[in-house]
Amino acid sequence: MLFALICKDKPGHLQVRLDARPDHVAFLNGLNADKKLAFAGPFLDADGKPNGSMVVIEATDLAGAEALAAADPYAKAGLFEKVEIKPWTWVFNKPAEA
């Protein structure tokens, strides 16, 4: 089952994001290797600077999605003001399954 993690950064925490980014990227690459990551990327503010994230993951249930979200180095660094986790279905432009 897919879940969308919609994460909003705390205001004024761009440096926290930049400092934690290498660990966050490594974390997502690990999820990708385990075939748990569908896609991910930052939301941008009016100046083109990141101010949140959207990460779509595969998990067996909401508790599994919550555990993955909590393990993200951005979450551990206290970057996020709010994280919404919603079940999600990929309908259009879904990549072919391997």
Side-chain angles (χ1 to χ4, degrees):
M1 176 176 226
L2 292 174
F3 291 88
L5 314 178
I6 302 165
C7 311
K8 180 180 178 186
D9 292 4
K10 293 177 182 172
H13 278 63
L14 180 58
Q15 192 59 52
V16 173
R17 174 178 277 274
L18 296 175
D19 292 345
R21 188 173 190 283
D23 291 336
H24 170 73
V25 169
F27 173 76
L28 292 182
N29 282 333
L31 292 181
N32 194 39
D34 292 339
K35 298 188 183 207
K36 293 183 179 183
L37 176 67
F39 60 86
F43 292 111
L44 304 175
D45 66 15
D47 297 322
K49 292 192 167 97
N51 65 356
S53 298
M54 181 170 167
V55 179
V56 177
I57 58 170
E58 186 170 333
T60 55
D61 55 23
L62 180 59
E66 289 170 340
L68 282 174
D72 186 324
Y74 278 170
K76 289 181 175 184
L79 174 63
F80 300 132
E81 176 178 82
K82 181 179 179 182
V83 176
E84 290 183 73
I85 302 174
K86 298 182 175 197
W88 187 76
T89 300
W90 199 330
V91 176
F92 296 100
N93 293 328
K94 184 176 181 179
E97 305 220 7

